[in-house]
């Protein structure tokens, strides 16, 4: 198995675990979106995304490392998706 296949498998496994958490506690999505709605208008810097990640970790059962350098591909994907959803919501108004 190549390193890229190993990486893809790792991301898929992490996303499966995350989706399992969402199915067990659907409030995570509402809480995460609310946090993102408060912070995304501040910009798209790594610092703001870290602030979103830290608040999600503090208020839900989802753990995202405090240091953005330690974010996994799945962490970055989740944060990016939150940002996109909030931006799309704002574009509708």
């Amino acid at each position: 198995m190549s390193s890229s296949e190993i990486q893809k498998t790792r991301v898929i496994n992490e996303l499966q675990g995350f989706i399992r958490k969402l199915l067990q506690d659907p409030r995570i999505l509402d809480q995460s979106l609310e946090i993102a709605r408060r912070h995304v208008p501040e910009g798209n810097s790594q610092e703001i995304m870290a602030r979103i990640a830290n608040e999600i970790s503090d208020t839900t059962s989802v753990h995202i490392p405090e240091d953005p350098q330690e974010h996994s591909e799945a962490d970055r994907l989740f944060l990016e998706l939150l940002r996109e959803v909030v931006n799309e919501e704002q574009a509708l108004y």
Side-chain angles (χ1 to χ4, degrees), residues 21-35:
K21 282 184 180 186
L22 293 179
L23 292 172
Q24 292 169 342
D25 186 359
R27 295 172 297 169
I28 292 170
L29 278 179
D30 290 334
Q31 291 170 311
S32 297
L33 281 168
E34 184 56 40
I35 292 164

Side-chain angles (χ1 to χ4, degrees), residues 27-56:
R27 295 172 297 169
I28 292 170
L29 278 179
D30 290 334
Q31 291 170 311
S32 297
L33 281 168
E34 184 56 40
I35 292 164
R37 286 181 189 113
R38 284 197 309 270
H39 295 288
V40 165
E42 298 170 17
N44 189 28
S45 72
Q46 195 174 35
E47 179 183 313
I48 291 167
M49 298 311 282
R51 206 175 309 147
I52 292 169
N54 291 338
E55 194 169 335
I56 289 170

